Amino acid sequence: MAKKQTKTVEEERQSRKDILRARRHAEQMRQVRIAVAAVIGLLVLIAMVGVVNEFFLVPNRAVAMVNDEKITLQQWQDRVTLERAQRIIFLENQYEAFEKNVGIIQQFAGQTIVELQDAELLAQSVLDTMVEETIIRQEAEARGIVVTDAEVEETIGGFFAYYGGESPTPLPPATATVMPTPSLTPIPTAVITEVVPVESLPTPTTGPTSTPRPTATPVTQEAFQEQFNELLTEYRRYDVKEQVYREAVRASLYRERLQDVLGIENEVDTQAEHVSLFVLRLATETDANEALALIAQDGFLTVWNVVRSTPTDAAAAFPGALATEYLWQTQDTLASLLGSETAAAAFSLATDEPSGVLTQTDESGTSQYYLIQVSGRERRDLPESTVETEKASLLTALVNARLAEGVQITEFWRTRVPKRPLLDPKFLAQPTPAPTEPASLITPEP
């Protein structure tokens, strides 16, 4: 009876130990599970932070600040992608136009290929452009200039010759301009003494009349939309967003509008004084003085005519002399042709008054000797290209001033330069060398 009771007590002790051991094991497992869960939770949190940072925070980080307005990483990357795509599309079009002749493309579009190969250099250029565009837009908006979506749409339509279903505005007809008539002594004509009967004159044959140029056919909205959709489809192949393309067009319009306003603000002249003149260029100072003496005796245009009608070789009266007429030149243009001193003299001389000997020495030390006479002077419209160049200079000066004031560019972008879309390796292939001899002259081997 005592043995049975002892065994029961031992069993109870053993059972108590198992229970405590099981409890300790369970507690350990619980702590392990908590630790594992904490680690997993931490990893999930880190992953979520990474996702949020990469897809939400990083794209909105500034690669540049322009007067407290930021250009984000996403905006810049999207624009770089657009610029790369436009260059690749251009090369592909050239590839088809030149019948897949890579050598010609490398010759005439080599710079485009270099830009696509050097991704960081192109990316830097795009960032500089975006900073400049932001400054221009801010300056334009400060002057009340706003480019609307409708204007962007109209400009895009113009790229495809679509003008709301109408023909483009025709250019105004050229206005006839009265040119100065040289006061040369007319060459006497032979006196006709023989009377030719009218009936013996041949009847003139009527020549073919010129065919009038065809009137431009207006591009319909359907045709425009079809072409534009083709462009957008091609852009989508290269991951270019339509809105990015539209904003690039908007930026170009802001540039044009601000440039025009700066021209008005700075009263850029659209007209300038022009002169027409006769010019004698002599090889030596001695020849120039002799020609000047002849002009005093016979008149400028007589001497000019003699030089113009005689050869310039050593047998001539003035070897190497040239007689030239320049019609309606500005002082800047004339300075680029004849030198600043000669141009200044042309704009100070009275009409039909011969100049003295004008000496113009170039950078190499070579002297040219000029005698001039102005035949006409009047204020005329400047070429549109000249006016636009002047306005562009004003815009450049404004942008450069703003760049020095409130622009900050980070180095953050350098590790995130887009390299897509990629340049097709076919544009980097060595062109096939041309045969040294015509194929027909190559003797086939026996």
Side-chain angles (χ1 to χ4, degrees):
M1 194 70 178
K3 288 181 178 180
K4 188 175 181 180
Q5 290 177 351
T6 302
K7 186 175 181 180
T8 301
V9 172
E10 290 177 355
E11 290 176 351
E12 289 178 356
R13 289 177 180 173
Q14 187 67 32
S15 177
R16 217 177 278 117
K17 290 180 181 180
D18 291 340
I19 292 171
L20 293 174
R21 190 179 297 113
R23 286 178 178 175
R24 283 197 301 271
H25 179 71
E27 180 65 19
Q28 290 172 350
M29 293 303 296
R30 188 178 70 83
Q31 292 177 355
V32 168
R33 284 194 293 270
I34 292 173
V36 171
V39 171
I40 293 174
L42 181 60
L43 292 175
V44 170
L45 180 61
I46 292 173
M48 290 178 63
V49 170
V51 169
V52 171
N53 183 65
E54 188 67 25
F55 293 98
F56 295 96
L57 300 180
V58 170
N60 287 309
R61 285 184 61 181
V63 293
M65 294 292 297
V66 184
N67 298 322
D68 299 327
E69 180 180 343
K70 68 179 179 180
I71 299 173
T72 67
L73 176 70
Q74 186 68 64
Q75 292 170 331
W76 167 74
Q77 287 180 329
D78 288 343
R79 183 64 177 273
V80 173
T81 302
L82 169 65
E83 295 293 337
R84 292 186 66 87
Q86 288 179 332
R87 285 162 173 78
I88 288 174
I89 291 172
F90 166 75
L91 291 175
E92 292 290 350
N93 291 339
Q94 294 296 302
Y95 189 71
E96 295 300 325
F98 290 113
E99 299 178 348
K100 303 181 180 181
N101 190 324
V102 175
I104 294 179
I105 297 173
Q106 291 174 346
Q107 181 179 357
F108 292 102
Q111 182 59 36
T112 303
I113 296 174
V114 170
E115 289 174 347
L116 288 167
Q117 286 182 284
D118 194 336
E120 185 170 333
L121 184 62
L122 177 58
Q124 174 76 71
S125 175
V126 172
L127 182 56
D128 293 342
T129 299
M130 293 183 71
V131 169
E132 183 175 311
E133 289 173 350
T134 304
I135 292 173
I136 290 172
R137 178 178 51 76
Q138 290 175 350
E139 291 293 328
E141 290 175 346
R143 290 166 170 78
I145 302 171
V146 177
V147 176
T148 64
D149 292 341
E151 291 170 327
V152 172
E153 189 71 24
E154 181 181 353
T155 302
I156 294 174
F159 296 157
F160 296 88
Y162 172 66
Y163 303 94
E166 300 178 357
S167 298
T169 304
L171 294 175
T175 303
T177 304
V178 179
M179 306 302 291
T181 303
S183 54
L184 296 175
T185 303
I187 299 174
T189 56
V191 178
I192 300 174
T193 58
E194 181 182 358
V195 179
V196 180
V198 175
E199 59 271 13
S200 67
L201 294 175
T203 303
T205 304
T206 305
T209 57
S210 59
T211 304
R213 294 183 179 180
T215 304
T217 303
V219 176
T220 64
Q221 183 177 7
E222 292 74 16
F224 156 65
Q225 201 60 54
E226 181 180 353
Q227 295 178 63
F228 185 47
N229 287 338
E230 289 177 1
L231 175 64
L232 294 180
T233 299
E234 197 160 12
Y235 275 153
R236 281 191 285 270
R237 283 179 49 210
Y238 298 113
D239 297 326
V240 174
K241 302 171 184 175
E242 179 181 351
Q243 188 59 30
V244 176
Y245 169 71
R246 289 182 177 275
E247 290 305 314
V249 174
R250 191 188 304 274
S252 68
L253 289 176
Y254 270 116
R255 181 184 295 273
E256 292 175 8
R257 303 284 171 78
L258 180 59
Q259 191 165 287
D260 290 339
V261 169
L262 289 176
I264 296 172
E265 290 178 354
N266 291 273
E267 300 179 347
V268 172
D269 284 331
T270 58
Q271 292 187 327
E273 188 177 16
H274 290 64
V275 297
S276 291
L277 68 159
F278 295 99
V279 178
L280 283 171
R281 191 187 74 183
L282 289 307
T284 66
E285 187 175 7
T286 300
D287 287 347
N289 288 322
E290 289 181 6
L292 185 61
L294 285 175
I295 289 171
Q297 176 182 330
D298 301 328
F300 187 96
L301 292 177
T302 301
V303 177
W304 185 90
N305 250 341
V306 170
V307 174
R308 180 77 171 211
S309 59
T310 56
T312 59
D313 56 21
F318 301 108
L322 289 176
T324 314
E325 182 182 14
Y326 293 96
L327 297 175
W328 302 126
Q329 303 292 323
T330 64
Q331 185 165 346
D332 289 341
T333 306
L334 204 57
S336 66
L337 297 170
L338 305 176
S340 58
E341 294 179 9
T342 306
F347 279 80
S348 61
L349 282 171
T351 304
D352 299 328
E353 177 186 333
S355 73
V357 177
L358 304 170
T359 305
Q360 194 73 46
T361 305
D362 60 22
E363 295 178 355
S364 64
T366 303
S367 295
Q368 298 286 347
Y369 303 94
Y370 292 100
L371 298 169
I372 66 173
Q373 178 169 295
V374 175
S375 58
R377 173 181 283 107
E378 64 181 55
R379 190 168 180 82
R380 300 167 64 93
D381 289 337
L382 289 167
E384 185 177 352
S385 59
T386 302
V387 178
E388 292 301 315
T389 299
E390 179 63 25
K391 292 192 291 188
S393 299
L394 293 172
L395 182 63
T396 299
L398 175 63
V399 170
N400 289 340
R402 297 296 181 265
L403 282 171
E405 294 174 358
V407 176
Q408 295 178 343
I409 298 179
T410 70
E411 295 297 309
F412 167 64
W413 61 271
R414 294 190 183 278
T415 58
R416 295 177 177 271
V417 174
K419 296 180 174 60
R420 292 181 177 275
L422 296 172
L423 175 66
D424 194 314
K426 68 188 178 188
F427 294 108
L428 305 177
Q430 290 295 325
T432 304
T436 55
E437 296 182 9
S440 60
L441 299 180
I442 300 176
T443 305
E445 296 182 1

